[in-house]
Amino acid sequence: VDVPFLSPEERCAFILKIVMKDKLKSLLKKHWQVDHFRPLQEDICLQLIRGNDCLVILPTGGGKSLC
């Protein structure tokens, strides 16, 4: 992936995000038999994979169990 306006560190983070999104979507399909995340689920999962703490407040039926 050639993204000339990004520093090497930013380019690495960008590529990692793309790879992790693909992996997350394949796990989503494998374990929950769905093709798409609900709003915010993917962002929450990516933050957790990066080792960041998250406080998630979603309505009933918002998909907290997956996160």
Side-chain angles (χ1 to χ4, degrees):
V1 176
D2 185 27
V3 196
F5 55 88
L6 296 177
S7 71
E9 295 83 15
E10 291 170 324
R11 194 175 7 243
C12 182
F14 178 76
I15 293 168
L16 181 60
K17 184 176 181 179
I18 292 170
V19 170
M20 291 310 302
K21 280 186 169 195
D22 288 343
K23 181 67 176 171
L24 280 174
K25 287 187 179 181
S26 69
L27 290 171
L28 184 69
K29 181 69 174 176
K30 178 180 177 182
H31 295 286
W32 284 277
Q33 294 78 45
V34 294
D35 295 317
H36 304 287
F37 285 98
R38 291 184 181 176
L40 301 176
Q41 285 179 323
E42 185 175 36
D43 293 331
I44 294 163
C45 290
L46 287 170
Q47 289 299 320
L48 293 170
I49 289 169
R50 290 185 188 119
N52 296 327
D53 293 331
C54 294
L55 172 62
V56 179
I57 301 171
L58 294 170
T60 300
K64 295 180 291 291
S65 298
L66 187 136
C67 300

